Amino acid sequence: MNLYELTIHEASDEMRRGRITSGDLMESLKQRISEVEERVHAYVTILDRPEETKSPSSDRQEEQGPLSGIPVAVKDNMTTRGIRTTCSSKMLSNFIPHYDATVVDRLRQNGVVILGKTNMDEFAMGSSTETSYMGATRNPWNLERIPGGSSGGSAAAVAADECIAALGSDTGGSIRQPAAHCGVVGMKPTYGRVSRYGLVAFASSLDQIGPITKDVTDCALLLNAISGHDPRDSTSVKVPAPDFTSALTGEVRGLTIGVPAEYFVEGMQPEVEDAVRTALSLLEERGAVIKEVSLPHTGYAIATYYILATAEASSNLARYDGVKYGYRTENASDLMDMYMQTRAQGFGPEVKRRIMLGTYVLSAGYYDAYYRKAQQVRTLIKNDFDQAFQTCDVLITPTSPTTAFRIGEKINDPLQMYLSDIFTISVNLAGIPGISVPCGFDNSGLPIGLQIMGRHFNEKAILRSAYAYEQQTDWHRKRPVL
Ligand code: GLN
């Protein structure tokens, strides 16, 4: 076995036993990156001397912590001190932050080595990583296919063994959907669980950072490191973060799993439904109770999301004006012209579409019809989940209605692109946690994802179910041949 194939917990065991060093692991990953990155294009920036990114204060913990010396990749919308953070946009292509995001800081304190910054849809707007100014990332399982998005670079890097684990961000599915398409594990924690200080804002009432890993154990380990209250993020919640690895018991006896009828829709790829139903039977055999439930407002989720997310994006992206940081146009005649040209040249078409939609839904006369209405529907969607969680511990659905589509297939059809998030978006609207774990392959060998959702701050129930399922299968051990 090659060292780059190891999970966090395997690599950590090997290091503790003195059989390998963090340097060996790094060498192996660098070798792997030099072999496959040209084809996959998972990274925007690969650090030449990643060892230097370790926190000077991490040396002491280095002895014990399970993340010590582990090379991790970070999505390029989280700030890294002295390392450019582009959001895969021309607007920030030369932006070098002078501070670390809280999650990056926490990783460093745990002894993690930041290996590089991963590609994404521009400003995290997209489901395929094709809107990146840096060029598309390819799915390691089939280089003609998209890796999903917007954290497509992180998911592809994990799947292609170009890092041991990665961080992504999820506003409407951007961790879970690429994890599903790349055959890896991805979790969006509860809104407020993980600090977003230093995460470049897209839609602030929805954005959340989370792990993308090779298995559920690694997901729990990474979540342990990044969760917890942060006074620098007013939306981070003051609840104690448990040890998430304590949920990895392998037991699901007595757990009630809800299956929402609205998530098994016409037009869905039959292999996806089969794989999810098979997973449910397996959990039932292990002693879980399966129960059909209804989330009646599911049909409104996409419309609601594209009103709220664009409204928030139009406001958040107003800061890119060519004055304070980022791209500035060369030849402007006056200040107004400078603003207009900077924004016209610095943003790509999808970002402009979102800004225009968002400005429209917030404008006088339309605010009540769109924005306020969407807020009300958002509450109904959240209430659906509250209702379901009165009788269920977790809910299980497919992560995405199809497996990875072809590069170019949906990029000129925004509505089709938006529909690929139909199963992930409600989780963000409700603020609850959700995970995607590998649950099989379709007839062309592309991975399928199983989504497990839980109550607010009950990531443990999700991890418990996900781990018990993983123990019974070996989908997570399959790797693409590159
Ligand atoms: N695909 C969705 C969008 O384009 C979600 C993106 C995300 O979660 N960042 O908005």
Side-chain angles (χ1 to χ4, degrees):
M1 192 187 204
N2 296 297
L3 295 187
Y4 57 71
E5 292 172 62
L6 296 174
T7 60
I8 295 177
H9 56 98
E10 288 164 352
S12 172
D13 271 358
E14 292 294 292
M15 282 192 265
R16 213 184 32 243
R17 297 200 175 127
R19 289 209 277 249
I20 63 168
T21 65
S22 172
D24 298 336
L25 204 52
M26 191 60 74
E27 269 321 299
S28 173
L29 281 160
K30 279 187 179 166
Q31 181 61 34
R32 175 68 174 173
I33 290 172
S34 73
E35 285 162 11
V36 304
E37 172 61 6
E38 210 183 330
R39 281 172 286 153
V40 178
H41 187 41
Y43 285 96
V44 172
T45 303
I46 299 169
L47 298 173
D48 284 338
R49 307 187 60 75
E51 332 43 271
E52 288 173 6
T53 68
K54 274 205 282 183
S55 159
S57 64
S58 68
D59 283 353
R60 205 159 31 86
Q61 282 140 322
E62 199 114 328
E63 317 274 299
Q64 326 103 12
L67 294 181
S68 257
I70 302 291
V72 170
V74 174
K75 185 177 181 179
D76 210 18
N77 60 352
M78 297 170 216
T79 57
T80 37
R81 188 182 55 231
I83 300 164
R84 82 179 172 142
T85 299
T86 69
C87 277
S88 290
S89 178
K90 179 175 181 182
M91 191 58 95
L92 290 176
S93 50
N94 293 317
F95 172 57
I96 300 187
H98 49 77
Y99 68 105
D100 278 330
T102 296
V103 288
V104 170
D105 192 38
R106 293 208 172 151
L107 289 184
R108 291 197 209 279
Q109 280 172 19
N110 278 275
V112 162
V113 183
I114 310 287
L115 192 50
K117 306 293 295 287
T118 56
N119 199 17
M120 53 186 279
D121 281 295
E122 185 179 1
F123 283 101
M125 299 173 187
S127 310
S128 66
T129 317
E130 291 167 292
T131 72
S132 169
Y133 176 67
M134 312 300 172
T137 295
R138 288 163 184 276
N139 190 315
W141 291 91
N142 179 335
L143 299 172
E144 304 301 309
R145 304 274 172 156
I146 56 102
S150 65
S151 312
S154 287
V158 173
D161 288 316
E162 292 189 75
C163 60
I164 302 295
L167 290 185
S169 69
D170 191 314
T171 306
S174 279
I175 290 176
R176 290 159 288 152
Q177 184 257 22
H181 287 343
C182 290
V184 295
V185 174
M187 180 183 239
K188 182 202 94 74
T190 309
Y191 185 79
R193 177 66 95 187
V194 177
S195 166
R196 295 152 336 139
Y197 178 75
L199 171 71
V200 178
F202 162 12
S204 306
S205 77
L206 301 158
D207 299 338
Q208 185 63 198
I209 295 171
I212 300 182
T213 55
K214 295 179 187 174
D215 66 15
V216 175
T217 305
D218 281 7
C219 177
L221 288 170
L222 217 44
L223 192 60
N224 273 353
I226 61 174
S227 352
H229 177 246
D230 175 12
R232 288 180 299 187
D233 172 3
S234 62
T235 65
S236 91
V237 177
K238 260 192 186 152
V239 292
D243 174 5
F244 293 103
T245 60
S246 67
L248 312 180
T249 58
E251 255 314 314
V252 282
R253 197 158 298 280
L255 200 82
T256 306
I257 299 176
V259 182
E262 292 81 1
Y263 281 65
F264 292 83
V265 293
E266 223 168 287
M268 176 167 152
Q269 198 175 322
E271 296 128 293
V272 171
E273 173 157 6
D274 289 349
V276 172
R277 300 252 183 232
T278 308
L280 285 167
S281 321
L282 206 153
L283 287 162
E284 193 168 27
E285 275 164 35
R286 303 291 303 162
V289 180
I290 311 284
K291 175 177 177 205
E292 185 161 307
V293 295
S294 175
L295 299 170
H297 296 93
T298 301
Y300 302 106
I302 296 239
T304 305
Y305 171 86
Y306 276 96
I307 291 170
L308 298 177
T310 58
E312 294 181 25
S314 73
S315 164
N316 273 326
L317 272 61
R319 72 191 69 173
Y320 305 105
D321 55 7
V323 177
K324 296 179 283 292
Y325 44 70
Y327 175 77
R328 178 188 296 182
T329 186
E330 301 268 308
N331 319 301
S333 52
D334 56 30
L335 182 65
M336 193 53 83
D337 188 45
M338 193 282 287
Y339 287 151
M340 288 189 345
Q341 289 209 45
T342 294
R343 289 171 66 83
Q345 295 159 14
F347 291 134
E350 184 59 29
V351 175
K352 285 181 191 160
R353 179 160 32 239
R354 306 276 178 121
I355 292 173
M356 285 189 280
L357 275 170
T359 308
Y360 177 78
V361 300
L362 288 177
S363 58
Y366 294 106
Y367 182 93
D368 284 332
Y370 294 110
Y371 189 74
R372 188 188 305 280
K373 188 62 93 197
Q375 291 285 31
Q376 290 165 339
V377 179
R378 180 178 190 170
T379 303
L380 296 176
I381 291 171
K382 179 190 166 284
N383 291 348
D384 283 355
F385 282 104
D386 290 347
Q387 188 72 33
F389 285 126
Q390 285 190 352
T391 56
C392 301
D393 298 297
V394 294
L395 303 177
I396 288 191
T397 71
T399 307
S400 178
T402 66
T403 54
F405 44 92
R406 281 189 184 73
I407 292 178
E409 194 176 321
K410 298 189 180 175
I411 193 68
N412 296 317
D413 189 347
L415 267 183
Q416 279 307 314
M417 188 71 90
Y418 298 171
L419 280 170
S420 62
D421 299 313
I422 191 157
F423 296 154
T424 47
I425 266 175
S426 299
V427 165
N428 302 74
L429 290 169
I432 58 174
I435 201 171
S436 179
V437 292
C439 72
F441 292 88
D442 71 2
N443 296 336
S444 19
L446 294 165
I448 300 171
L450 182 78
Q451 177 170 238
I452 311 176
M453 317 169 187
R455 282 185 206 115
H456 292 102
F457 297 103
N458 197 1
E459 285 87 355
K460 279 177 78 174
I462 295 178
L463 290 165
R464 181 174 154 207
S465 324
Y467 183 75
Y469 174 70
E470 191 184 78
Q471 291 293 95
Q472 301 301 313
T473 61
D474 65 354
W475 307 117
H476 62 290
R477 271 190 262 277
K478 301 256 191 293
R479 282 288 158 267
V481 181
L482 272 161

